[in-house]
Amino acid sequence: MNASYEPEAVVTNPARNSEQIQEETESYADQSESSSSDQGTSRASQFTPASTLDFTPQAVDDPQSSSTLSLRNLLPLSVEQEKMYFMLATVDDPTMYNCTIQYELHGDLDMERFKIAVIHVAQRHESLRTAFVTQAADGMPRRAILESSQIGWWERTSGDPLEASLEISRVHSHEYDLAKGQSMVISILHTSLQHHIMTFGYHHLIMDGVSWQLLLREFAAAYQDPDLLAPVISQYSAFCDEALMRAASRNDALERSRLLETASPLPLFPFARVSFRQVHTCYETIQVSSQLDAGTSAKVKAVSSRAGATSFHFHVAAIQLLIQKVLDIDKFIMGITNANRDNPRFEKVIGHMVEVVPLRCEPQSSCTFTDLLQDTRARVLAALASPSASQKPTSAEQMHTTECNVAVNYIAKFTQDIRFDQSTLRYLTSQLARQPYD
């Protein structure tokens, strides 16, 4: 662990107990309530030009409830959350797992109505009211469910066209105080009475990308009419309990040993700009975008269909072939993301439910691509049919001797635009969490 790392700047101070955390959240709520008491006027009556910018963070508080926040029983983190927590303790970047998405809205925006919608939705899902605390007794992280959400609220006015790009950077670089349950920020930039830039930021510990898509739809539905929302069937804690029971009942020591046999680090790619892997205390993401034309996309679907596979299997097979040809290896482990939404009880749960499932890859130079595609399909289906393969990291060595050499996050459908009452919320851009891969 890096000696300069200060845990309280990232997740929590291990010396603080739950009573101290409660006192701090109560103090924060009192300050937030007083700072937001003057926000009840309509947007039309308070629009101001760019020369009178105001950038004051505020907490979204329910004016109908007490400002006192109480902590319920402390709960264990999920396996994937523990992996993230452990990783945060080994890097110098507290914003590593920040996720930020930006949209624009053309039309009227009733700010007070939107705040009420956000509060209503946050009260429905415990993940939006979760603090991450560490008890001094054992030093282990725990989840604490708060009575009220601590979503940060930033609102300002500017006619500068460059402010949108600056705003997403501000939100993405925000350091969340997870010990106080401050894990989400909503920034509203009003460029005119009929144009608004909405930037949503959250820490990856509280939810995954599928959950964000579900949450955004709930914000929009609650803004139109809270009665449109379906009842919440399950909370994230129920998902965690079931996942832990599954993990405890499994006996997969043999399979894990087979996986780890082939999970030694890959050679560097020939186009690498360094000659050896260096130790990092922070990670950055290099993003390269490429779009298949309609003809190529149709061919991918056709080839997949003839082989009884899907486009996902096709892309996984293509990545295997690339690695096998470029690095001249025939055994490695590919991590594929699993949304964990097969159980109807957890289909609409908001939380960090995604897991990385290790897939044993053994592409052979003598086989055809169709053979590889069919073999990939069989391996993927077998891996996803098995109980959760997630295991808790127990040491820094285990974190860096990862089960996966390559990680693939395949997203079949991403919601670009969404109806927001009489307007449309249009996707602009996003900055996702940085992952410890090279």
Side-chain angles (χ1 to χ4, degrees):
M1 182 178 295
N2 193 306
S4 64
Y5 170 73
E6 298 179 6
E8 65 176 348
V10 178
V11 180
T12 181
N13 187 336
R16 290 188 290 179
N17 58 31
S18 59
E19 288 78 16
Q20 289 172 309
I21 297 296
Q22 180 173 346
E23 292 174 0
E24 293 176 1
T25 52
E26 290 172 354
S27 173
Y28 177 83
D30 290 337
Q31 296 171 7
S32 302
E33 183 176 281
S34 62
S35 65
S36 61
S37 62
D38 61 346
Q39 297 300 312
T41 57
S42 67
R43 171 64 11 209
S45 65
Q46 56 176 296
F47 182 80
T48 52
S51 60
T52 56
L53 293 181
D54 180 24
F55 189 62
T56 306
Q58 302 169 15
V60 174
D61 282 322
D62 185 349
Q64 304 300 321
S65 65
S66 169
S67 62
T68 300
L69 304 180
S70 61
L71 295 174
R72 299 176 184 174
N73 294 333
L74 298 181
L75 305 169
L77 273 62
S78 70
V79 172
E80 294 300 325
Q81 284 179 324
E82 283 198 359
K83 290 179 181 180
M84 282 190 184
Y85 190 98
F86 188 93
M87 194 66 211
L88 282 170
T90 66
V91 299
D92 292 331
D93 182 11
T95 67
M96 175 177 173
Y97 287 118
N98 284 11
C99 302
T100 312
I101 310 96
Q102 189 173 77
Y103 303 82
E104 67 174 349
L105 181 73
H106 289 276
D108 293 328
L109 179 61
D110 186 330
M111 294 303 300
E112 197 61 28
R113 183 176 156 201
F114 182 48
K115 288 182 183 180
I116 293 173
V118 169
I119 294 167
H120 181 81
V121 172
Q123 291 304 117
R124 287 164 48 87
H125 302 288
E126 66 177 34
S127 292
L128 302 185
R129 296 178 284 106
T130 297
F132 296 85
V133 300
T134 301
Q135 290 184 301
D138 58 9
M140 293 298 294
R142 300 285 194 278
R143 289 182 297 121
I145 311 303
L146 306 178
E147 294 293 342
S148 301
S149 63
Q150 292 296 293
I151 299 176
W153 189 266
W154 297 351
E155 182 183 1
R156 63 199 189 95
T157 299
S158 173
D160 188 342
L162 298 178
E163 284 297 316
S165 59
L166 295 175
E167 194 64 17
I168 193 171
S169 297
R170 289 189 188 104
V171 175
H172 197 65
S173 61
H174 178 67
E175 294 187 21
Y176 296 103
D177 193 338
L178 301 176
K180 295 180 180 179
Q182 300 169 18
S183 54
M184 187 173 187
V185 164
I186 299 176
S187 170
I188 310 296
L189 175 65
H190 306 284
T191 61
S192 72
L193 289 174
Q194 296 291 309
H195 185 244
H196 319 273
I197 303 296
M198 306 174 72
T199 307
F200 300 87
Y202 63 90
H203 198 285
H204 205 9
L205 270 172
I206 68 167
M207 63 178 158
D208 52 33
V210 175
S211 294
W212 166 247
Q213 296 290 299
L214 296 171
L215 184 65
L216 183 62
R217 285 188 169 89
E218 286 204 15
F219 283 160
Y223 180 75
Q224 182 177 350
D225 183 358
D227 292 336
L228 295 175
L229 295 171
V232 175
I233 299 176
S234 296
Q235 293 288 354
Y236 183 61
S237 291
F239 168 81
C240 293
D241 291 343
E242 184 165 310
L244 289 173
M245 285 191 293
R246 288 201 312 267
S249 65
R250 288 167 58 238
N251 182 13
D252 63 348
L254 178 60
E255 177 61 19
R256 282 178 56 78
S257 65
R258 290 178 65 246
L259 288 171
L260 291 173
E261 283 178 5
T262 59
S264 56
L266 291 179
L268 292 177
F269 283 102
F271 49 79
R273 290 179 291 181
V274 295
S275 58
F276 61 92
R277 285 185 171 85
Q278 303 173 352
V279 177
H280 293 284
T281 57
C282 62
Y283 293 86
E284 294 294 336
T285 298
I286 299 175
Q287 183 170 323
V288 179
S289 299
S290 179
Q291 185 169 351
L292 299 180
D293 58 61
T296 303
S297 181
K299 289 180 181 178
V300 168
K301 293 179 180 179
V303 170
S304 302
S305 179
R306 287 196 297 269
T310 66
S311 295
F312 169 62
H313 302 138
F314 183 98
H315 290 298
V316 171
I319 294 172
Q320 288 184 67
L321 186 60
L322 170 68
I323 293 174
Q324 189 262 333
K325 294 293 186 182
V326 174
L327 298 181
D328 193 25
I329 58 174
D330 56 11
K331 289 184 180 180
F332 57 93
I333 300 298
M334 181 184 297
I336 56 175
T337 55
N338 176 27
N340 265 326
R341 305 273 172 174
D342 295 335
N343 189 329
R345 285 180 56 208
F346 306 129
E347 186 179 6
K348 302 294 185 181
V349 167
I350 303 299
H352 188 91
M353 300 174 62
V354 69
E355 67 175 353
V356 178
V357 177
L359 182 69
R360 186 184 179 94
C361 299
E362 298 175 297
Q364 302 299 317
S365 57
S366 58
C367 71
T368 65
F369 184 78
T370 299
D371 293 336
L372 177 60
L373 178 56
Q374 292 174 334
D375 178 71
T376 298
R377 174 187 179 276
R379 290 174 184 262
V380 169
L381 293 178
L384 295 179
S386 302
S388 170
S390 295
Q391 294 290 329
K392 297 181 181 180
T394 57
S395 66
E397 181 180 0
Q398 183 177 340
M399 280 297 302
H400 292 287
T401 307
T402 177
E403 293 180 352
C404 305
N405 305 119
V406 179
V408 177
N409 184 17
Y410 183 85
I411 302 175
K413 185 177 182 181
F414 184 83
T415 302
Q416 296 278 330
D417 304 333
I418 187 169
R419 289 295 298 172
F420 210 78
D421 199 11
Q422 301 302 313
S423 306
T424 299
L425 198 61
R426 300 190 183 281
Y427 171 83
L428 290 178
T429 186
S430 58
Q431 294 185 21
L432 303 181
R434 295 181 288 280
Q435 302 293 340
Y437 290 91
D438 62 5

